[in-house]
Amino acid sequence: MSLTNPPSSSGSLSRTRVGNLKRSLQATVDDAIESRRPGGYTSKVRVRDRYNIVGFISSGTYGRVYKAVGKNGKKGEFAIKKFKPDKEGETIQYTGLSQSAIREMALCTELSHANVVQLEEIILEDKCIFMVFEYTEHDLLQIIHHHTQPQRHAIPATMVRSIMFQLLNGLLYLHTNWVLHRDLKPANILVTSSGAIRIGDLGLARLFYKPLNSLFSGDKVVVTIWYRAPELLMGSRHYTPAVDMWAIGCIFAELLSLRPIFKGEEAKMDSKKTVPFQRNQMMKIVEILGLPRKESWPGLASMPEYSQLQSLVLHRQPSHFHRGSNLEGWYQSCLKNGGYTSTSSAGTPGADGFDLLSRMLEYDPAKRITAEQALEHPYFTNGGPISGNCFEGIEGKYPHRRVTQDDNDIRTGSLPGTKRSGLPDDSLMRASKRLKE
């Protein structure tokens, strides 16, 4: 059973519709459990029977991603994510799949929306799991990087507007169906060659409708540090879809400025796995937004890390800690440095863009704009039609995703992290090696 698609620009959700969504979700879960019982698989498929592996795309803690083309009647290009099994010590011991892999498979199997990455199939071969997705030629991180080379040149305002509308449309679908993404960042926002936005990498995503325990108890750290909402930094045990909206605001700012708006340094967990207060990241936010106030954020004083925030102010006391928000100054400087026109409404995000950004980067999560509200914001309604192709009218081409031949062996015997594969799992190490060469 498929989850219900929300409209691309929706009105308020009725109680009846919310009730139907809840029942639909429960039915979906029941169907998923039923389909996974013995006998649910009708035939055994091997990866190489259906796909030709073109090359290697990237790797990480989960495993590796390869580019492939279909064969034997299966047409198109695909990205195949190969999960490595959990292992203990130097010797491979199959202890099962990670929680991240299981969540991503369960959610992607049920989700279906034009702005969420499309899962083609899941293949179990020997002791490896392969998730086969549609192939996307770009991602927002790649596009942002392209606009900094050879010198900085702004992403066209019409393109930013299309990206943001499609991104919010996909996020509304996830939130309407009780899914928090919890890791929104430019690298996880995929873009097809035809300019369609796809929200990808649902490894940290989870359902938030009536969880048995607080979300914090299951995952103490979520969202990449530069995109982490203040309530998460303040140690909130309960949080809402507002954490995704903060990340979307950070992405919006990065599309305009071509650099992360809050680029802090992450403090790592100690040997006891204690979650540290992220002082540097909080300072980066305060430098632009000013200090959060109990008067405007009623729940602030009850946050677990509130004493740490007070300590930060007492010990550092830089002058900007005692000023109000400087977000508008940052925004106007960003538009000026980006060369956005001040005469054409289509050539600049303008005042509407600032108002939307400020509502996304609201300290109090209860006051932060929702995806549904954002889609109805004047930034989208006042500027004329929005294209479903973010590249429409854009001169020049963006470079294709880099696919290498470093490791195009997708055999199940060549497990990530083993001596047989002979390759590291960290894509950053791989990139630095290329630079040295």
Side-chain angles (χ1 to χ4, degrees), residues 220-233:
K220 290 183 171 54
V221 178
V222 292
V223 189
T224 301
I225 187 70
W226 297 342
Y227 309 90
R228 196 174 298 167
E231 62 267 33
L232 296 176
L233 296 173

Side-chain angles (χ1 to χ4, degrees), residues 392-408:
E392 186 171 298
I394 307 301
E395 296 181 2
K397 298 289 184 181
Y398 287 89
H400 289 185
R401 189 180 297 281
R402 179 164 184 171
V403 178
T404 74
Q405 299 302 314
D406 289 355
D407 172 24
N408 62 354

Side-chain angles (χ1 to χ4, degrees), residues 144 147 152-161 164 249-259 330-340 347-350 353-354 357 379:
I144 290 168
H147 279 269
R152 304 176 77 82
H153 54 294
I155 301 175
T158 53
M159 181 172 169
V160 173
R161 188 162 168 262
M164 289 300 298
C250 294
I251 292 171
F252 187 18
E254 194 165 340
L255 288 171
L256 297 175
S257 66
L258 304 180
R259 56 170 64 93
W330 178 92
Y331 182 81
Q332 295 302 332
S333 176
C334 173
L335 296 191
K336 181 179 178 180
N337 294 337
Y340 289 106
T348 179
F354 169 70
L357 179 63
Y379 174 67

Side-chain angles (χ1 to χ4, degrees), residues 52-128:
N52 282 320
I53 307 304
V54 175
F56 168 82
I57 299 174
S58 64
S59 64
T61 55
Y62 55 82
R64 293 199 176 98
V65 180
Y66 299 84
K67 181 179 180 180
V69 293
K71 66 178 186 179
N72 296 331
K74 193 172 185 67
K75 297 180 180 179
E77 295 181 323
F78 304 90
I80 301 181
K81 182 183 269 192
K82 172 186 175 183
F83 287 102
K84 64 179 179 181
D86 287 348
K87 63 177 188 282
E88 296 178 352
E90 293 298 320
T91 305
I92 297 290
Q93 295 182 10
Y94 297 98
T95 60
L97 282 171
S98 67
Q99 177 177 260
S100 173
I102 292 169
R103 278 183 183 160
E104 186 170 15
M105 286 188 290
L107 288 172
C108 287
T109 299
E110 304 300 334
L111 297 170
S112 178
H113 188 269
N115 298 123
V116 177
V117 69
Q118 185 65 46
L119 176 69
E120 293 290 327
E121 63 177 328
I122 299 173
I123 297 176
L124 173 62
E125 186 175 332
D126 294 336
K127 294 183 175 70
C128 279

Side-chain angles (χ1 to χ4, degrees), residues 405-422:
Q405 299 302 314
D406 289 355
D407 172 24
N408 62 354
D409 185 1
I410 201 170
R411 292 175 302 169
T412 53
S414 180
L415 292 171
T418 65
K419 290 182 179 179
R420 180 172 177 179
S421 72

Side-chain angles (χ1 to χ4, degrees), residues 171-247:
L171 189 61
L172 173 60
Y173 169 74
L174 294 180
H175 289 175
T176 303
N177 286 294
W178 309 103
V179 176
L180 288 178
H181 188 281
R182 304 197 304 177
D183 197 20
L184 291 168
K185 56 184 178 181
N188 289 344
I189 309 303
L190 310 174
V191 187
T192 69
S193 56
S194 60
I197 301 300
R198 307 275 200 261
I199 296 175
D201 199 341
L202 276 74
L204 272 179
R206 66 157 296 166
L207 297 173
F208 64 94
Y209 171 61
K210 286 189 176 179
L212 296 176
N213 298 303
S214 75
L215 299 182
F216 177 85
S217 64
D219 302 279
K220 290 183 171 54
V221 178
V222 292
V223 189
T224 301
I225 187 70
W226 297 342
Y227 309 90
R228 196 174 298 167
E231 62 267 33
L232 296 176
L233 296 173
M234 295 298 293
S236 176
R237 271 34 179 184
H238 300 276
Y239 51 87
T240 67
V243 301
D244 284 342
M245 290 305 299
W246 176 275

